[in-house]
């Protein structure tokens, strides 16, 4: 998979993709994440990426030209499955969406800033819009990192234990069961005995039961939507 991220603030994304799982995934050649500085595509002598809104009003609007030039350059190099604008108006990201998108080959993620992008970007250059939640952030960089992370960790070979992405919360419509590690007793606080039993089937059954209980308690909405198929 290749992910091209278009942003006015490339440094915001540098550290996220150069650490831990995401760094290893790139080193193993399982994903290529390329961050593009939209300023490199500006023809403005001050490299500005925004301008006043027609009709007035507070807030600057990202101009179409640098975005168009960057997308056109990339499209000249390879075919893209989706050109995604990160926006609080978009389709809400959830695990089924991440699962579906993780099989795409090449995607572009556009990060907005200021008061948003010129509407013609959304009309003519974007194939879909994705939101990471019902709240407004000051830019699309964190949302682009969140979406990328949710896709990359699903790519075969990225996680050491092939099954661990499948056992994540939400993959079966249930939240994850509790986990414990050493020491078995800390400060007088113990752990459920079944986990020390060495009895695989019992442990499996206990974990499943805990997942169901937790989902009922904390996220009954997941049970309802999973039941609908
Ligand atoms: N940009 C600003 N807020 C956002 C959100 N919640 N999701 C995606 N992009 C955004």
């Amino acid at each position: 998979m290749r992910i091209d991220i278009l942003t006015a603030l490339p440094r915001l994304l540098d550290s996220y993709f150069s650490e831990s799982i995401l760094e290893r995934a790139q080193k193993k050649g399982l994903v290529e994440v390329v961050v593009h500085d939209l300023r490199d595509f500006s023809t403005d002598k001050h490299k500005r990426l925004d301008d006043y809104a027609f009709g007035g009003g507070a807030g600057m609007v990202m101009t179409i030209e640098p975005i168009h030039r960057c997308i056109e350059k990339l499209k000249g190099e390879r075919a893209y499955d989706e050109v995604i604008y990160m926006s609080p108006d978009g389709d809400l990201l959830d695990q089924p969406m991440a699962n579906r998108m993780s099989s795409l080959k090449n995607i572009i993620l556009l990060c907005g800033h200021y008061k948003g992008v010129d509407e013609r970007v959304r009309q003519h250059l974007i194939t879909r819009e994705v939101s990471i939640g019902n709240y407004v952030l000051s830019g699309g960089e964190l949302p682009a990192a969140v979406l990328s992370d949710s896709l990359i960790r699903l790519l075969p070979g990225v996680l050491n234990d092939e099954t661990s992405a499948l056992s994540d919360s939400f993959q079966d419509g249930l939240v994850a069961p509790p986990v414990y590690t050493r020491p078995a007793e800390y400060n007088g606080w113990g752990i459920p005995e079944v986990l020390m039993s060495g009895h695989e089937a019992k442990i499996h059954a206990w974990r499943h039961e805990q997942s169901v209980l937790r989902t009922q308690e904390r996220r009954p909405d997941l049970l309802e939507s999973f039941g609908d198929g």
Side-chain angles (χ1 to χ4, degrees):
M1 171 178 244
R2 176 174 164 129
I3 305 176
D4 289 276
I5 306 181
L6 282 46
T7 169
L9 298 168
R11 279 182 306 157
L12 278 183
L13 290 162
D14 286 349
S15 67
Y16 198 74
F17 290 103
S18 56
E19 297 284 341
S20 185
I21 292 175
L22 301 188
E23 185 204 21
R24 254 181 291 139
Q26 290 175 87
K27 283 204 170 138
K28 283 197 215 164
L30 301 170
V31 66
E32 195 178 351
V33 180
V34 187
V35 177
H36 303 272
D37 185 346
L38 283 169
R39 267 172 237 286
D40 295 341
F41 297 85
S42 170
T43 51
D44 178 87
K45 67 172 187 268
H46 302 296
K47 301 275 175 209
R48 282 183 52 174
L49 295 173
D50 60 331
D51 211 330
Y52 296 100
F54 279 125
M60 305 296 278
V61 178
M62 283 177 77
T63 56
I64 189 169
E65 196 197 9
I67 297 169
H68 189 207
R69 292 183 64 210
C70 184
I71 292 175
E72 284 303 300
K73 174 179 173 274
L74 290 172
K75 281 185 167 173
E77 294 166 356
R78 70 193 61 74
Y80 283 90
D81 301 300
E82 297 275 17
V83 182
I84 300 168
Y85 175 48
M86 305 310 302
S87 156
D89 310 351
D91 301 328
L92 209 51
L93 174 63
D94 60 7
Q95 194 61 52
M97 186 199 281
N99 293 351
R100 282 193 303 274
M101 268 195 203
S102 69
S103 62
L104 300 179
K105 205 162 162 340
N106 301 312
I107 58 173
I108 291 175
L109 307 182
L110 171 63
C111 307
H113 249 269
Y114 317 109
K115 200 79 198 144
V117 293
D118 187 307
E119 185 63 19
R120 291 165 293 184
V121 170
R122 300 168 81 167
Q123 285 171 334
H124 303 292
L125 307 181
I126 293 299
T127 58
R128 78 179 296 175
E129 305 196 5
V130 173
S131 165
I132 63 158
N134 291 328
Y135 41 82
V136 179
L137 299 167
S138 41
E141 285 75 15
L142 281 173
V146 167
L147 176 59
S148 302
D149 187 319
S150 75
L151 303 182
I152 293 169
R153 64 197 306 290
L154 294 173
L155 300 176
V158 167
L159 299 183
N160 294 335
D161 176 355
E162 280 273 10
T163 61
S164 71
L166 287 176
S167 61
D168 282 344
S169 276
F170 301 118
Q171 280 297 12
D172 50 6
L174 299 173
V175 304
V179 290
Y180 301 86
T181 185
R182 285 185 288 187
E185 175 147 340
Y186 177 77
N187 203 26
W189 300 322
I191 69 166
E193 243 169 64
V194 61
L195 296 178
M196 303 292 275
S197 69
H199 194 302
E200 251 185 67
K202 275 192 189 158
I203 293 172
H204 185 82
W206 179 84
R207 287 191 169 140
H208 183 70
E209 183 188 85
Q210 290 294 314
S211 279
V212 173
L213 284 172
R214 282 203 161 185
T215 311
Q216 280 164 348
E217 265 170 38
R218 300 173 184 207
R219 296 297 307 273
D221 58 302
L222 288 179
L223 291 174
E224 277 158 36
S225 54
F226 194 67
D228 293 342

